[in-house]
Amino acid sequence: MSMRRESFLAHVEERGEYETREEADRVARVVLALLGAHLVGTVRAELAARLPETYALILLNPLQAAEPLSPERFVCATAAWIEGATEKTALWDIGAVLSTVAAAAGDVLMREVLLQLPPGYDLLFGHPQPTWPAPTAGA
């Protein structure tokens, strides 16, 4: 079941501490357009189905990427697309949007999403994954 637009924006606005709903919308559109370029197939479709229609369409019709962006390059690209943003503010914006997306997706779909992304995106979504093999005691 998809999240309603107002609920989605309210979460982004709260998590990003934005002053207006319009600012939260602008950031969400950029982050989802960039994210959509990195997801394919049923994973992208399933994630889109959990988002409000406006944002689902953005995810399904993303900006084109020649290659998957590392998390660092994703932050740089986001900063380039948001007027007046720096890498530091873009990281904040990404966290506000992607943590809301992760909440809408749920744990099972989030694992599938993260499998399609380069290592390190788990931190952008606020879902740090364990590194394997786990350290052993005394090692």
Side-chain angles (χ1 to χ4, degrees), residues 43-81:
V43 170
R44 183 167 64 186
E46 287 178 30
L47 184 58
R50 309 258 176 113
L51 300 176
E53 183 179 8
T54 300
Y55 302 111
L57 291 173
I58 292 168
L59 188 75
L60 293 171
N61 298 291
L63 296 169
Q64 296 303 308
E67 63 185 26
L69 298 175
S70 67
E72 296 80 14
R73 289 185 59 213
F74 188 88
V75 171
C76 292
T78 302
W81 279 94

Side-chain angles (χ1 to χ4, degrees), residues 38-40 43 107-119 121-122 125 129:
H38 292 77
L39 301 176
V40 296
V43 170
D107 291 339
V108 173
L109 182 54
M110 272 311 304
R111 280 193 291 277
E112 293 178 35
V113 166
L114 291 172
L115 285 173
Q116 287 195 4
L117 298 168
Y121 273 80
D122 56 333
F125 279 92
Q129 301 296 300

Side-chain angles (χ1 to χ4, degrees), residues 6-21 23-25 92-93 95-97 99-100:
E6 287 305 311
S7 177
F8 182 87
L9 278 178
H11 281 88
V12 172
E13 184 178 10
E14 179 182 324
R15 291 173 182 186
E17 298 177 6
Y18 302 113
E19 293 183 16
T20 66
R21 195 63 45 102
E23 187 178 4
D25 176 66
W92 181 266
D93 296 334
V97 175
S99 65
T100 302

Side-chain angles (χ1 to χ4, degrees), residues 131-139:
T131 38
W132 300 108
T136 56

